[in-house]
Amino acid sequence: MTIPQERILILDFGSQYTPLIARRIREQHVYCEIHPYDMPESQIKAFAPKGIILSGGPETVTLESTPRAPKIVFELGCPVLGICYGMQTMAEQLGGKVVACSNREFGYAHAQITEPTELLKEITDKKGNPYLDVWMSHGDHVEQVPPEFIIILNTPNTPIAGMADPKRNFYALQFHPEVTHTQQGKEILERFVDKICDCRPSWTAHNILEHEIAEIKQKVGEEKVLLALSGGVDSTVLAALLHKAIGKQLLCVFVNTGLLRTTDKDSAIQALADDMNISVVKIDASDRFLKALGGITDPEEKRKAIGNLFVEIFEAESTKHPDIAWLAQGTIYSDVIESAGTTTQKAHAIKSHHNVGGLPDTLKLKLLEPLRELFKDEVCQLGLELGLPPELVYKHPFPGPGLAIRVLGEVTPKNIDLVRKADVILQEELRKHNHYDKISQAFCVFLPVKSVGVIGDARQYAPIIAIRAIETIDFMTARWAHLPYALLETISNRIINEVAGISRVVYDVSGKPPATIEWE
Ligand code: XMP
């Protein structure tokens, strides 16, 4: 087992941003884990953190019944950073006072550093002044710091926006350094991890690979594993990883759902089968998926129907191979988080990703999800480390339920065909104009709303294609890509001219949040 000894523990009080704290720490190549705030004291001790971060959360410490950090957090002698609710519970538990704000503070704030301490030392605004542009989201605030603490930061609305007890290495911030809206947030977290907790950057792709291989070997032993290959990056990386860890004990199955883009199945399977010599069983189930989706318009219902059919198919396939004991899935951390299936269970569900949520009891296989704790970019690094070609590793992600969630309303062969054809044009033009690699994900969405147009001299009353293109690092938040107008014009003209049955093309200019990346 090669998990680095220098690791950070994040205790989750239920903030939607908690995964971003982990994201920011892992970006520094420092290992960290998120656990529920009520992690047993014995487990906290055994984890032996070099530092602890207390996350934000939706509750208020002004009520006695709400969450508190285990006492041991403040007794271990390691540095502690409280963020938002984490700051408030630190204040309350160590003898300070927290009250409800008369004016709640959400959004940007301009904060002044009054005492830099080790946490904010050398951090300034662009002009070199001791100011921070921070993202606030709180209803309560600290009115009085605990004994031994000093105030390190204020904003016009929040006189105690940060506090510290430098002797004990306790620090706390009312704002969220983990969100990219806080301009100097990354630097602040880096200082905490590097300068205060003294963690070296040892969580590298090589290290992750060693760790994963050891874990898989130990878990699986001599048993056989069935892997559901989707054609996407995650399951392709997983196939390469499992192949390296257990070789011939792996059997890959690729199901053609009929919901893929034209290129997905070819490139991934070719790389695995031809270049890595992994055997792949192909099953064509496109008719079954279409039938299962018939009449369904609700996004969650679609996901369920697809998930259930996948399980059914794998169940049937596994009975052909009685020596198989495990079903491997390429679930990654953001799938888990967005389904609120985090190990902590403290956040609210956004949408259910079909590959999260366990397996029915009827499936006699054990579930193996080695990528479950990894973020997307860690999965990509792992793919490169395993020798997969960069163009495969860095291709835009494609969701498990495929085009079914990009055809709004009922999924019919005709509508899938339209969105697929439009998508080919979009991808071609993005690559041709060197924009594919500059953005994180782009795709077409079929809208079952008709609008009027004129093709030649004839009136056309036909559905619409929406284009979604985004830039993001972690897919948890995203900005719509500011593609050049000329490029959008070319794409739009081509789709309307070449895809018969589309009257209009629109561009999605919504950020995440509040909009999600996929439309369903
Ligand atoms: P959302 O729409 O949740 O998308 O903002 C975030 C990222 O996840 C992908 N996505 C999925 N991937 N199964 C998957 O494997 C799913 O059900 C699913 N839904 C969304 C989406 O394409 C984006 O990259």
Side-chain angles (χ1 to χ4, degrees), residues 255-259 283-296 302 305-317 320 411 413 416:
V255 178
N256 181 8
T257 56
L259 303 168
I283 300 172
D284 187 354
S286 26
D287 291 344
R288 291 181 67 187
F289 275 91
L290 264 182
K291 204 163 152 221
L293 286 164
I296 300 179
K302 285 183 189 176
I306 293 169
N308 290 344
L309 186 49
F310 260 117
V311 171
E312 217 176 276
I313 290 170
F314 284 113
E315 207 164 11
E317 188 59 30
K320 292 186 198 158
V411 182
I416 291 179

Side-chain angles (χ1 to χ4, degrees), residues 243-500:
H243 182 66
K244 180 138 186 150
I246 55 169
K248 294 217 174 314
Q249 287 164 253
L250 170 69
L251 175 72
C252 287
V253 175
F254 170 73
V255 178
N256 181 8
T257 56
L259 303 168
L260 293 168
R261 295 182 298 193
T262 39
T263 52
D264 285 304
K265 54 181 183 202
D266 307 329
S267 56
I269 289 177
Q270 193 185 328
L272 294 174
D274 301 352
D275 306 344
M276 301 200 122
N277 213 7
I278 299 175
S279 61
V280 181
V281 175
K282 295 174 194 166
I283 300 172
D284 187 354
S286 26
D287 291 344
R288 291 181 67 187
F289 275 91
L290 264 182
K291 204 163 152 221
L293 286 164
I296 300 179
T297 52
D298 178 77
E300 285 296 293
E301 290 296 314
K302 285 183 189 176
R303 280 187 154 77
K304 271 188 208 123
I306 293 169
N308 290 344
L309 186 49
F310 260 117
V311 171
E312 217 176 276
I313 290 170
F314 284 113
E315 207 164 11
E317 188 59 30
S318 69
T319 55
K320 292 186 198 158
H321 311 274
D323 51 343
I324 285 181
W326 295 86
L327 177 71
Q329 283 191 339
T331 314
I332 68 167
Y333 206 22
S334 52
D335 304 339
V336 177
I337 292 157
E338 301 231 326
S339 299
T342 59
T343 42
T344 75
Q345 303 289 337
K346 304 295 180 206
H348 294 183
I350 309 293
K351 55 173 92 162
S352 61
H353 286 214
H354 86 269
N355 45 0
V356 180
L359 296 170
D361 294 341
T362 50
L363 193 61
K364 299 279 180 293
L365 301 178
K366 294 174 271 185
L367 188 59
L368 184 66
E369 295 179 313
L371 309 181
R372 203 179 158 91
E373 305 290 326
L374 297 187
F375 287 100
K376 190 83 186 179
D377 56 326
E378 290 172 324
V379 173
C380 292
Q381 286 162 24
L382 196 59
L384 293 179
E385 188 72 22
L386 282 157
L388 289 169
E391 58 284 6
L392 191 71
V393 165
Y394 287 114
K395 76 176 184 180
H396 293 175
F398 185 70
L403 296 178
I405 55 167
R406 292 181 181 171
V407 168
L408 306 198
E410 192 178 352
V411 182
T412 64
K414 188 173 167 220
N415 297 349
I416 291 179
D417 186 51
L418 289 173
V419 80
R420 188 180 274 144
K421 283 183 176 145
D423 204 72
V424 169
I425 295 173
L426 171 67
Q427 307 302 333
E428 266 177 22
E429 291 299 331
L430 288 172
R431 286 186 193 274
K432 190 166 145 196
H433 294 92
N434 294 326
H435 275 278
Y436 185 90
D437 291 326
K438 291 186 196 150
I439 58 178
S440 316
Q441 194 173 9
F443 53 88
C444 289
V445 183
F446 172 88
L447 311 188
V449 192
K450 285 187 176 177
S451 84
V452 175
V454 190
I455 297 271
D457 288 326
R459 176 183 189 268
Q460 154 148 286
Y461 184 50
I464 302 171
I465 287 289
I467 295 173
R468 180 84 163 131
I470 53 109
E471 290 165 8
T472 175
I473 293 171
D474 46 34
F475 293 87
M476 303 288 298
T477 59
R479 163 188 133 124
W480 59 273
H482 294 198
L483 291 176
Y485 285 168
L487 175 60
L488 288 172
E489 191 174 17
T490 308
I491 296 167
S492 161
N493 283 343
R494 277 197 62 194
I495 292 177
I496 293 172
N497 286 327
E498 295 173 33
V499 185

